[in-house]
Amino acid sequence: MPDPAPALLDALAARLGSAHVLRAPDDMAPHLAETRGLYRGRALAVVRPADTAEVAAVVRACAEAGVPVVAQGGNTGLVGGGVPFGGLVLSLARLDRVRAVDPANATLTVEAGCILARVQEAAEAAGLLFPLSLASEGSCRIGGNLSTNAGGTAVLAYGNARDLVLGLEVVLADGRVWNGLKALRKDNAGYDLKHLFIGSEGTLGIITAAVLKLHPRPASTATAFVGLASAQAALALFTRLRDRAGGRLTAFEYIPPFGLDIVLRHAPGAVRPLDGDHGAYALVEVSAETPEAGPALEALLGDALEDGLAEDAVVARSAAQGRALWRLRESLSDVQRREGASIKHDVSVPVSRTAAFLERATAACEAELPGVRVCAFGHLGDGNIHFNLSQPVGMEAAAFLALWPRFNRIVHDIVHAMNGSIAAEHGVGLIKRDELPRYADPVALDLMRRLKQALDPQGLLNPGKVVAVGEAPGGVDAAVGPSFG
Amino acid sequence: MPDPAPALLDALAARLGSAHVLRAPDDMAPHLAETRGLYRGRALAVVRPADTAEVAAVVRACAEAGVPVVAQGGNTGLVGGGVPFGGLVLSLARLDRVRAVDPANATLTVEAGCILARVQEAAEAAGLLFPLSLASEGSCRIGGNLSTNAGGTAVLAYGNARDLVLGLEVVLADGRVWNGLKALRKDNAGYDLKHLFIGSEGTLGIITAAVLKLHPRPASTATAFVGLASAQAALALFTRLRDRAGGRLTAFEYIPPFGLDIVLRHAPGAVRPLDGDHGAYALVEVSAETPEAGPALEALLGDALEDGLAEDAVVARSAAQGRALWRLRESLSDVQRREGASIKHDVSVPVSRTAAFLERATAACEAELPGVRVCAFGHLGDGNIHFNLSQPVGMEAAAFLALWPRFNRIVHDIVHAMNGSIAAEHGVGLIKRDELPRYADPVALDLMRRLKQALDPQGLLNPGKVVAVGEAPGGVDAAVGPSFG
């Protein structure tokens, strides 16, 4: 059979304009690597359709030619889900319009290529809030957020990305367009299709637009930094605050002493928030529909101190102070690099087991490698811990990184024993694809494969990601690089 | 081929005990009809397995014998989704254990046969809230609530049934059990399977257990009854209250003047809540994590009165008064029967279009049949209107009911033109199965059929419901009875 690629690329150049079919290595390079340098992919070309009809035309042409398609938004993913191994990269970046704003319905209709920060701004301009918030919000695109069911810091009060979606427009594997752009709070007219595409990482269809659910903007927000005796105390404080503050508790982030130490050591301008040292720390945020978030948070923490649930606490006196406290939490990932190589795990357990998980996994890792420095932090209120390990001081980085499969096994085994998830908010992509069959219910895996087969029988949409069906793309294992998420 | 039924029933009697394989007409009768008397079904037997293993054994035996299985919970559905047309009825009623309570994780693990009110009580005993609340909560079962993605009065603040689920256990069409009983707030380990089964009305699998998400109990709740100039004014008041009260606004129910009239005429003990007459009414509830729900609601309504958004309002001074106001809303369905025959539509539109929908659909129905009395009420804050019609005074009930297809067409066409849903919270079942292809996106219908084919290739799970695949079960059209939802 002749190579279908040249004819396909010529046809696409004729359809999209040759400026939107990138073939030069320099033009393609940013689309072939990913954030952490773990994988280096390859592609025939990067195509940049302008609208849904052009996306459909590209996918239809690929289906006819038997050529794979990897959808990309901002290419900020952390699990290699957007790396191509042959075929076309389909960039959604040009589909970046806000199609509709309906303040009375509290909805936005946006195209997949909208940058998350622009979506947040469009909501704000309508007097409302789009709560999804991530470190990469200035460059990630909403289509990627939805196709990976992104998490972030606002999940506690507002849910994951999927909880913020009312409707979708999706290009299917054969190039047909499903118009599911409903803006309804209640709709039981048949099976729920949107949840199938959200979180499927571009393997079942390509999201081209979405109706997003907005929330009222809180009138006030207050932030505090709390010193605690231990992870168990952090959990006890969380349940107390959740039960008393309800939906007003908008963040509860766990920070270990080692984490605070390295932030204070490396982050520019970081200031010690509390005088003494504590066994654990929490960043707490309360939001209110009235101006009273500050007094409410002070009263809640005052009671907690009195009852011995917390050891010390400071409530930000200004928005600037609040942002400074948030920066302590947000700089954690960055400053970890300054302490050498790291091995990372994005995992979740039931909230009630977070403290036990932290204790058990820390002890197991320290027993495996004396001197390893556990930097486990994150969204304790969601049960989602970024269980990261920093290399022992003075160890060779490469020697440490060679241990990653052993640490993956130790940490994931404990997560599994606690009925947790080895892929909490970053997804499966490539990096966890071969871990999934080890831990997933075999019936669940079979169902996933059947869904893939039903929706993408040729296996052309982002092949080899999430669920391996048939042959995996080459070069995956060999491509694994310096750190692991 | 010999009839497989006798051998199947004998085998099941041996497995479950003959007391749990009901074959006598009197024993089976409650399982063959449904609440509104619209359909009368038939079945080989009603089987009552004791646990998940027995459910799996029944389904496996049916798969081998090629016999259909219709799952039933409390059999309180309003769209004929639980009516069998041959095959077995599989009652989940004996799977009624609360398997686990985890207050720190704010979750309950319950079996499908738990009555909704018992689930609410188990949450309350743990100091938490399971917010799903429906008229039939004393007899409906949680498995049915989830398989139909039930709505109810708490959707505004807490979402639909699917938003209250973290994990599921499901018996598949071939009798295998998917164990997806995860109790996690964040889990992206592969495709989201639970949302496929929630709302699929027993056509893709049989839910046997679920992990439910609980919420903190509000410390206080306040209820008000508001008089308004019009439906447009009700919508304006709703958006004002939503934007100012945020998650504290826990109900906003619309009641038309005709609705209040017939409640006051027929409901025992109903007392006129406001002195004057108004063009529209709303029942408003605010809940707070502090004792201040009452003052907060008074302040919100005080401002609304001052700004001319509302004409009059009364805030309940006691819990008993609050319940009395709620009874005005809750008795609407019941008292409608006292005004003769009714034709019903459970529909939704974007919240921003509710008032326009009410105006347009009312005008169209009144033009079609002068004297028809529109009784449109419901969850305006969710965009979900129960657009019901009471017969003109003095008309023959049968003559009025003969007009149902014409009214369905009028109302559903308007809903469709407003990008709404013809099946908002009650589901599709049988009653809307043949309406679905008229209004659904054809690509969506094809996807639904592919999913059905992928998960139930023999078509044995609740055949003929939601999506017709192959031949529809006999007797459906002929069975349509006296009133239509």
Side-chain angles (χ1 to χ4, degrees):
Chain A
M1 221 168 85
D3 179 3
L8 173 67
L9 296 185
D10 290 347
L12 292 179
R15 178 77 161 88
L16 309 186
S18 55
H20 298 299
V21 178
L22 313 180
R23 309 194 207 187
D26 281 1
D27 293 341
M28 288 170 60
H31 298 275
L32 304 181
E34 42 75 72
T35 321
R36 294 200 272 188
L38 304 187
Y39 306 102
R40 174 157 300 281
R42 58 179 189 282
L44 298 171
V46 175
V47 297
R48 297 163 40 88
D51 55 25
T52 302
E54 288 194 1
V55 175
V58 170
V59 175
R60 197 165 45 242
C62 286
E64 283 162 10
V67 169
V69 187
V70 179
Q72 271 186 12
N75 197 21
T76 60
L78 298 170
V79 293
V83 182
F85 293 92
L88 295 188
V89 170
L90 190 160
S91 165
L92 278 304
R94 290 175 69 210
L95 284 81
D96 63 352
R97 288 184 312 140
V98 174
R99 287 196 195 162
V101 182
D102 184 346
N105 196 42
T107 49
L108 276 183
T109 306
V110 300
E111 293 183 340
C114 284
I115 288 177
L116 175 53
R118 297 296 91 71
V119 177
Q120 294 165 347
E121 287 162 13
E124 189 169 354
L128 293 160
L129 173 75
F130 184 63
L132 188 67
S133 179
L134 315 171
S136 60
E137 62 198 27
S139 55
C140 64
R141 295 178 189 269
I142 190 69
N145 299 141
L146 301 185
S147 70
T148 59
N149 184 31
T153 52
V155 173
L156 189 59
Y158 301 101
N160 294 281
R162 76 167 66 252
D163 302 306
L164 303 172
V165 178
L166 294 179
L168 288 183
E169 178 187 84
V170 177
V171 172
L172 304 181
D174 57 9
R176 287 182 303 163
V177 180
W178 168 49
N179 179 355
L181 287 176
K182 296 273 188 182
L184 304 173
R185 257 74 187 170
K186 282 187 180 169
D187 183 10
N188 278 319
Y191 305 152
D192 192 305
L193 300 172
K194 65 179 181 296
H195 284 303
L196 202 54
F197 296 105
I198 300 169
S200 69
E201 304 186 26
T203 64
L204 299 180
I206 297 176
I207 295 171
T208 48
V211 180
L212 303 176
K213 184 157 67 169
L214 307 181
H215 287 266
R217 297 188 75 77
S220 64
T221 294
T223 309
F225 204 88
V226 185
L228 298 141
S230 63
Q232 288 288 357
L235 173 58
L237 177 67
F238 167 71
T239 57
R240 158 75 73 98
L241 294 180
R242 180 198 64 200
D243 291 351
R244 294 210 180 163
R248 286 180 158 190
L249 182 65
T250 44
F252 193 100
E253 298 287 312
Y254 174 82
I255 301 164
F258 173 68
L260 183 58
D261 284 353
I262 63 174
V263 166
L264 295 175
R265 192 176 309 151
H266 300 296
V271 175
R272 176 176 292 278
L274 300 169
D275 290 333
D277 290 323
H278 302 276
Y281 299 91
L283 181 92
V284 177
E285 186 189 84
V286 161
S287 303
E289 62 304 317
T290 60
E292 298 149 12
L297 180 54
E298 276 170 25
L300 287 163
L301 291 175
D303 285 353
L305 287 164
E306 208 163 286
D307 296 347
L309 284 172
E311 294 181 340
D312 197 4
V314 58
V315 177
R317 297 272 153 226
S318 66
Q321 268 187 29
R323 281 194 299 274
L325 294 179
W326 265 109
R327 269 198 303 277
L328 297 175
R329 159 68 183 84
E330 285 162 354
S331 43
L332 260 168
S333 296
D334 246 21
V335 298
Q336 228 200 314
R337 277 186 291 174
R338 309 282 294 274
E339 292 290 325
S342 34
I343 295 173
K344 301 183 173 183
H345 309 84
D346 165 43
V347 300
S348 65
V349 294
V351 175
S352 50
R353 307 188 81 172
T354 45
F357 165 74
L358 285 164
E359 289 167 5
R360 207 160 130 192
T362 300
C365 290
E366 289 176 349
E368 176 73 13
L369 179 66
V372 73
R373 295 168 303 164
V374 174
C375 185
F377 62 92
H379 321 293
L380 186 137
D382 310 319
N384 175 201
I385 304 291
H386 297 299
F387 195 85
N388 296 355
L389 306 171
S390 280
Q391 63 168 80
V393 175
M395 188 174 183
E396 282 272 343
F400 177 65
L401 289 172
L403 301 175
W404 78 266
R406 273 158 67 187
F407 280 115
N408 265 209
R409 192 62 54 244
I410 289 168
V411 174
H412 290 169
D413 278 358
I414 294 171
V415 166
H416 184 64
M418 291 184 162
N419 206 8
S421 173
I422 62 159
E425 65 172 4
H426 298 162
V428 173
L430 268 177
I431 209 168
K432 290 178 177 169
R433 189 197 65 188
D434 297 331
E435 288 286 274
L436 198 60
R438 175 182 287 268
Y439 296 109
D441 181 58
V443 177
L445 277 176
D446 176 64
L447 283 172
M448 290 180 205
R449 292 195 188 105
R450 286 204 220 181
L451 294 173
K452 174 72 173 168
Q453 181 64 34
L455 271 67
D456 178 22
Q458 287 194 87
L460 296 179
L461 294 180
N462 206 4
K465 312 295 169 57
V466 188
V467 215
V469 177
E471 215 180 317
V476 175
D477 293 334
V480 171
S483 89
F484 302 88
Chain B
M1 220 171 83
D3 180 4
L8 173 68
L9 296 184
D10 289 348
L12 292 178
R15 177 77 162 88
L16 310 186
S18 54
H20 298 300
V21 179
L22 313 180
R23 310 195 207 186
D26 281 1
D27 293 342
M28 288 171 58
H31 299 274
L32 304 182
E34 42 74 73
T35 321
R36 294 200 273 185
L38 304 188
Y39 304 102
R40 172 156 303 280
R42 58 179 191 281
L44 297 171
V46 175
V47 298
R48 297 164 39 88
D51 55 26
T52 302
E54 288 193 1
V55 174
V58 170
V59 176
R60 199 163 45 242
C62 286
E64 284 163 9
V67 168
V69 187
V70 179
Q72 271 187 12
N75 198 20
T76 59
L78 297 172
V79 291
V83 181
F85 293 91
L88 294 188
V89 170
L90 190 159
S91 165
L92 278 304
R94 290 175 71 210
L95 283 81
D96 64 350
R97 288 183 313 139
V98 174
R99 287 195 195 164
V101 182
D102 184 346
N105 196 41
T107 48
L108 276 183
T109 307
V110 300
E111 293 184 340
C114 284
I115 287 176
L116 175 54
R118 297 295 91 69
V119 177
Q120 294 165 346
E121 288 162 12
E124 189 169 357
L128 292 160
L129 173 74
F130 183 63
L132 188 68
S133 179
L134 315 172
S136 60
E137 62 197 27
S139 55
C140 64
R141 296 177 189 269
I142 190 69
N145 298 142
L146 301 186
S147 71
T148 59
N149 184 30
T153 53
V155 172
L156 188 59
Y158 301 101
N160 294 280
R162 75 167 66 251
D163 302 305
L164 304 171
V165 178
L166 294 179
L168 287 183
E169 178 186 84
V170 177
V171 172
L172 303 180
D174 58 9
R176 287 182 304 165
V177 180
W178 168 48
N179 178 355
L181 287 176
K182 295 274 189 184
L184 304 172
R185 256 76 185 170
K186 280 186 181 170
D187 183 11
N188 277 319
Y191 305 151
D192 192 305
L193 301 172
K194 64 179 180 297
H195 283 303
L196 201 54
F197 297 106
I198 299 170
S200 69
E201 305 186 24
T203 64
L204 299 179
I206 297 175
I207 295 170
T208 49
V211 180
L212 303 176
K213 184 156 67 169
L214 306 180
H215 287 266
R217 296 188 75 78
S220 64
T221 295
T223 309
F225 204 88
V226 184
L228 298 141
S230 62
Q232 288 287 359
L235 172 57
L237 178 66
F238 167 71
T239 58
R240 157 76 74 97
L241 295 179
R242 181 199 64 200
D243 292 350
R244 295 210 179 164
R248 285 179 159 190
L249 182 64
T250 44
F252 192 99
E253 298 285 313
Y254 174 82
I255 301 162
F258 174 68
L260 182 60
D261 285 352
I262 61 175
V263 166
L264 294 174
R265 193 176 309 152
H266 301 296
V271 175
R272 176 177 291 278
L274 300 169
D275 289 334
D277 288 323
H278 303 275
Y281 301 91
L283 181 91
V284 178
E285 186 189 84
V286 161
S287 303
E289 63 303 319
T290 60
E292 298 148 13
L297 181 53
E298 275 169 26
L300 287 163
L301 291 176
D303 285 353
L305 287 165
E306 209 162 286
D307 296 346
L309 284 171
E311 295 181 340
D312 197 5
V314 58
V315 177
R317 298 270 154 228
S318 66
Q321 268 186 28
R323 282 193 299 274
L325 294 179
W326 265 108
R327 268 198 304 275
L328 297 176
R329 160 67 183 85
E330 285 161 352
S331 43
L332 261 168
S333 296
D334 245 23
V335 298
Q336 229 200 313
R337 277 186 292 175
R338 309 281 295 274
E339 291 291 324
S342 34
I343 295 174
K344 299 184 174 183
H345 309 85
D346 165 44
V347 299
S348 64
V349 293
V351 174
S352 51
R353 307 188 80 171
T354 45
F357 166 73
L358 285 164
E359 288 166 6
R360 207 160 129 193
T362 300
C365 290
E366 289 175 350
E368 176 72 14
L369 180 67
V372 73
R373 295 167 302 162
V374 175
C375 185
F377 63 93
H379 321 293
L380 185 136
D382 310 319
N384 175 201
I385 305 289
H386 297 300
F387 195 85
N388 296 352
L389 305 171
S390 279
Q391 63 166 79
V393 175
M395 188 174 182
E396 282 273 342
F400 176 65
L401 289 172
L403 301 175
W404 79 268
R406 274 159 66 186
F407 280 115
N408 265 209
R409 192 62 54 243
I410 290 168
V411 174
H412 290 168
D413 278 357
I414 295 171
V415 166
H416 184 63
M418 292 186 163
N419 206 8
S421 172
I422 61 159
E425 65 172 5
H426 298 162
V428 174
L430 267 178
I431 209 167
K432 288 178 179 169
R433 188 196 67 186
D434 297 331
E435 287 286 274
L436 198 59
R438 173 181 287 268
Y439 295 109
D441 180 57
V443 177
L445 276 176
D446 176 63
L447 283 172
M448 290 181 204
R449 292 196 188 104
R450 285 203 221 182
L451 294 173
K452 175 71 175 172
Q453 180 65 31
L455 271 68
D456 178 22
Q458 288 194 86
L460 296 179
L461 293 181
N462 206 4
K465 312 295 169 60
V466 188
V467 213
V469 178
E471 215 181 316
V476 174
D477 293 336
V480 171
S483 90
F484 303 88

